[in-house]
Amino acid sequence: MPTTRRSPYICHVLVCTNDRQGRRKSCADGNSAQVRAALKKEVGERGWRGKVRVSPSGCLGLCADGPNVLIYPQKIWFPGVSTADVPDIVARMAQIVDTA
Ligand code: FES
């Protein structure tokens, strides 16, 4: 039986960066790596390190609607994101941090 612990993060932001190299639609087609980098920068600038974790992920199974960003455990899904959406995603993250 594996040991379990409580997550140290208020939320975990998963940014799909899966890249199928054009063989099939994947989130990397929409510059999801840039979205991830921008979100990480915001987390650092807002002093959220240790509270909010932005991580790249493999395929989240929602490819047709990508690029995808999911926030857990709040179960928030941002489909079809671009770097232009980063301020709105960060605003939602701020709501989560402020109410934690
Ligand atoms: S490639 Fe991103 S959800 Fe599948």
Side-chain angles (χ1 to χ4, degrees), residues 15-20 24-28 32 57-68 77:
V15 183
C16 177
T17 54
N18 190 37
D19 188 353
R20 295 189 174 107
R24 246 177 71 204
K25 180 176 170 58
S26 58
C27 290
S32 58
S57 85
C59 179
L60 296 164
L62 305 165
C63 321
D65 295 308
N68 293 296
W77 175 21

Side-chain angles (χ1 to χ4, degrees), residues 25-92:
K25 180 176 170 58
S26 58
C27 290
D29 299 344
N31 295 321
S32 58
Q34 289 178 340
V35 171
R36 176 185 168 243
L39 290 172
K40 283 185 73 80
K41 183 170 179 277
E42 290 282 347
V43 165
E45 289 176 358
R46 290 165 184 265
W48 292 345
R49 286 203 178 104
K51 295 179 182 175
V52 175
R53 183 75 184 178
V54 177
S55 298
S57 85
C59 179
L60 296 164
L62 305 165
C63 321
D65 295 308
N68 293 296
V69 174
L70 294 178
I71 302 179
Y72 278 95
Q74 291 78 13
K75 299 172 100 175
I76 299 166
W77 175 21
F78 292 95
V81 300
S82 72
T83 51
D85 298 311
V86 167
D88 288 335
I89 298 170
V90 171
R92 190 66 183 94

